[in-house]
Structure formats: structure tokens, C-alpha cells
């Protein structure tokens, strides 16, 4: 869905905003002479402690202020993809499955619980599985416990079911009402990059860390 290959339609405002924002991040990265983690010029990201050079206004206008949480945002993206007239976009929308998980008694929402849900929904063949985790009350200890359950285990080839791997872990900062993401490195899968478009909220946090360090960061 790169800009050179796909032009969003008039009603595909979210896809257009995402496309433009990603292009601006790429341009910002090139200006900073940042290397691409993937070794390709198609995707370049910069994550540092400097003030962000990419304004979120385009995404805010597309999603609408106070649109909800990450699962609602993903649902809106998926809807636009599925309804797109472009075959690549509509196909991508069909490849995404969103699985909601919540606590059941003393059970914690775990990868095995998510996979069981995927099996019941007959969605295990979906290439992209997003898991929406809900807890009745969030504390620093519970956030840490959840991260321990979901971060990739050392030397493990899979993280969900027999073949799915964790790509990113999105965390919510309750005190600021803000989301940050731990993104898996492609060349070094045991490491992740902390992406935060408001870096001042996580001042002092390392740009890169091992997955085993993530629970403490939460």
C-alpha cells in the first residue's frame, strides 16, 4: 500500500492519513541519516528522544478526536481496507483478525488463551492476529505481569500457536492517556524498539532493549 502503488479513494481518509504519516516518518529518517532495520529503503523508522518531527494532526483528523482505544482504531482501519476498491487493500483487510481477551476468574489473558479463542473462531490461518487484552483494574504490577506473559521467550521461534510470532506489543500509559509500542526488530528478533510519538512522556527510557527488559519498562 505504498503511495507509489496505491492511491486511497475519497472515503478512505484513514488509509490516506496513515500513508502520509508513514511517508513523513520515512522522510524524517532520511534527513537524519538513520539506517533501516530491514535493510530496505521501503520502510525506515526513527525512534529517539528528540521532539517528534511528524505531527499527528492528519491521523487525529482521520480518526476523530476521542475515537476510543487501539482496538477501535484497528477496527476502523480494517473496515476501510475491506471496503476499499483496491484489491490489495481489500485482501489485506480480510487477513486481519481481532481477538478480545479478558480475565476469567483468576486466569490471566495469555497467548495460549488467545490461541484457544482463535481455534474456536476458526481463525488460526489468519496471517495477522491482533489480541485486545482487557483487565478490570490496571496497576504497575499487573502491567508487568501481562508483559511477562506476552513478550517472546528466549530462543523461541513462535509466540502464538504453532507458527505466529509477536510483531509488536502496544501498551497504554494510564497516567497520560497515551499509547506506546514495543516493535520487534527484524534483523535482531530478540530485541525491540520503543516507539513513542510523544517521547517527552518516556524521557530516559532506552530506545532499544531486549524483550526480557520490557516487563520492567512497563
Amino acid at each position: 500500500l505504498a503511495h507509489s502503488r496505491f492511491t486511497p479513494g475519497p472515503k478512505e481518509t484513514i488509509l490516506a492519513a496513515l500513508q502520509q504519516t508513514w511517508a513523513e516518518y520515512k522522510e524524517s529518517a532520511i534527513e537524519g541519516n538513520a539506517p533501516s532495520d530491514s535493510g530496505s529503503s521501503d520502510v525506515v523508522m526513527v525512534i529517539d528522544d528528540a521532539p517528534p518531527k511528524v505531527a499527528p494532526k492528519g491521523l487525529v483528523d482521520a480518526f476523530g478526536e476521542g475515537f476510543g482505544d487501539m482496538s477501535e482504531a484497528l477496527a476502523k482501519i480494517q473496515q476501510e481496507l475491506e471496503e476499499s476498491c483496491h484489491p490489495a487493500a481489500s485482501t489485506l483487510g480480510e487477513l486481519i483478525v481481532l481477538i478480545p481477551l479478558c480475565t476469567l476468574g483468576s486466569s490471566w489473558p495469555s497467548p495460549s488463551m488467545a490461541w484457544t479463542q482463535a481455534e474456536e473462531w476458526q481463525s488460526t490461518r489468519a496471517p495477522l492476529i491482533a489480541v485486545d487484552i482487557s483487565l478490570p483494574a490496571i496497576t504497575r504490577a499487573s502491567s508487568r505481569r501481562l508483559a511477562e506473559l506476552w513478550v517472546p521467550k528466549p530462543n523461541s521461534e513462535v509466540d502464538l500457536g504453532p507458527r505466529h510470532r509477536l510483531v509488536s506489543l502496544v501498551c497504554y500509559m494510564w497516567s497520560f492517556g497515551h499509547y506506546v509500542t514495543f516493535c520487534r526488530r527484524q534483523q535482531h528478533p530478540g530485541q525491540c524498539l520503543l516507539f513513542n510519538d510523544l517521547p517527552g512522556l518516556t524521557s530516559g527510557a532506552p530506545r532499544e532493549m531486549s524483550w526480557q527488559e520490557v516487563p520492567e519498562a512497563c
Side-chain angles (χ1 to χ4, degrees), residues 58-179:
L59 291 175
V60 172
D61 291 342
F63 283 105
E65 293 190 27
F67 66 86
D69 56 20
M70 281 295 298
S71 59
E72 184 178 345
L74 179 59
K76 287 189 174 185
I77 295 172
Q78 186 176 16
Q79 181 179 0
E80 275 201 11
L81 287 169
E82 291 177 336
E83 295 177 354
S84 175
C85 295
H86 194 284
S90 58
T91 298
L92 179 58
E94 295 171 357
L95 299 180
I96 302 172
V97 172
L98 175 61
I99 296 179
L101 278 188
C102 60
T103 53
L104 295 175
S106 59
S107 299
W108 284 79
S110 65
S112 60
M113 187 184 296
W115 189 251
T116 298
Q117 183 68 63
E119 290 178 324
E120 292 177 357
W121 287 7
Q122 299 182 352
S123 301
T124 57
R125 293 183 177 273
L128 301 173
I129 298 178
V131 181
D132 179 25
I133 301 173
S134 299
L135 290 178
I138 297 292
T139 65
R140 186 173 180 84
S142 62
S143 295
R144 198 171 287 171
R145 174 57 179 155
L146 273 179
E148 290 172 350
L149 289 171
W150 283 90
V151 296
K153 303 301 183 287
N155 304 317
S156 176
E157 294 295 326
V158 296
D159 307 303
L160 180 67
R163 59 182 179 275
H164 285 74
R165 303 190 72 188
L166 183 76
V167 175
S168 64
L169 183 67
V170 181
C171 297
Y172 184 65
M173 302 175 67
W174 285 91
S175 55
F176 298 106
H178 182 63
Y179 290 96

